[in-house]
Amino acid sequence: MSRRASLPGASELFRITSSPALDLPPAPEQPAPAKGNGNGNGSGNETGHAHKEQLTRAARSGSGRTKHDAKITVYVSGDELLAMEQARLNLRAKHGLVLDRGRLVREAVAVLLADFDAAGEDSVLVQRLRAGSEDGKETEN
């Protein structure tokens, strides 16, 4: 009997450990919003509804639990961080979705970019950035 320890080879150390069975399923599509403006007469803003339907069909999605090859650093205020943590805990407690801050941010960015691709000028991103510049807020580089 040899007194040397048996060590794994390079092929065992560098093998792929993820499998499609372990990947998270894609997020379910949201149902189309009801027509009307909430007062029951059906005379709501139809372009808003069409915009929301386009958003649910958008091709963009968060990258989920994969190895990422790029990294950015984003500074947020204490209030923004607290809101993000509350949303993360709410997703866990009420919806059974366990995720880290990175996944939450990637999904939020994917939703925002899908909205921008679908709506362009009328997107939430453009509207919020315009509102911020009108309030005298400077944009960061």
Side-chain angles (χ1 to χ4, degrees), residues 1-9 12:
M1 176 181 237
S2 174
R3 295 186 347 166
R4 286 188 169 209
S6 175
L7 298 174
E12 293 176 29

Side-chain angles (χ1 to χ4, degrees), residues 22-74:
L22 297 177
D23 291 338
L24 295 176
E29 253 189 60
Q30 298 295 324
K35 300 289 184 207
N37 61 3
N39 62 9
N41 65 7
S43 63
N45 181 357
E46 299 301 322
T47 59
H49 292 296
H51 169 69
K52 287 180 183 176
E53 290 172 359
Q54 285 176 345
L55 183 58
T56 60
R57 287 182 265 137
R60 290 192 187 268
S61 65
S63 57
R65 293 186 58 152
T66 62
K67 181 172 177 10
H68 297 92
D69 57 348
K71 178 182 177 181
I72 65 170
T73 300
V74 178

Side-chain angles (χ1 to χ4, degrees), residues 6 9 17 25 29 32 34 55 64 66 68 76 86 88 92-93 102 110 123 133-134:
S6 175
T17 58
E29 253 189 60
L55 183 58
T66 62
H68 297 92
V76 297
Q86 287 173 337
R88 193 177 66 79
R92 183 178 189 156
S123 68
S133 65
E134 290 170 3

Side-chain angles (χ1 to χ4, degrees), residues 19-131:
S19 70
L22 297 177
D23 291 338
L24 295 176
E29 253 189 60
Q30 298 295 324
K35 300 289 184 207
N37 61 3
N39 62 9
N41 65 7
S43 63
N45 181 357
E46 299 301 322
T47 59
H49 292 296
H51 169 69
K52 287 180 183 176
E53 290 172 359
Q54 285 176 345
L55 183 58
T56 60
R57 287 182 265 137
R60 290 192 187 268
S61 65
S63 57
R65 293 186 58 152
T66 62
K67 181 172 177 10
H68 297 92
D69 57 348
K71 178 182 177 181
I72 65 170
T73 300
V74 178
Y75 292 91
V76 297
S77 69
D79 290 340
E80 291 167 333
L81 182 59
L82 182 61
M84 191 184 317
E85 283 298 317
Q86 287 173 337
R88 193 177 66 79
L89 292 172
N90 190 355
L91 285 166
R92 183 178 189 156
K94 294 184 179 176
H95 304 285
L97 298 170
V98 179
L99 64 153
D100 60 16
R101 285 187 225 154
R103 173 96 190 272
L104 179 64
V105 170
R106 287 189 300 275
E107 290 295 334
V109 168
V111 168
L112 193 66
L113 293 176
D115 177 50
F116 180 67
D117 286 346
E121 188 80 13
D122 297 327
S123 68
V124 172
L125 178 62
V126 171
Q127 300 301 320
R128 288 182 61 100
L129 291 173
R130 281 200 177 129

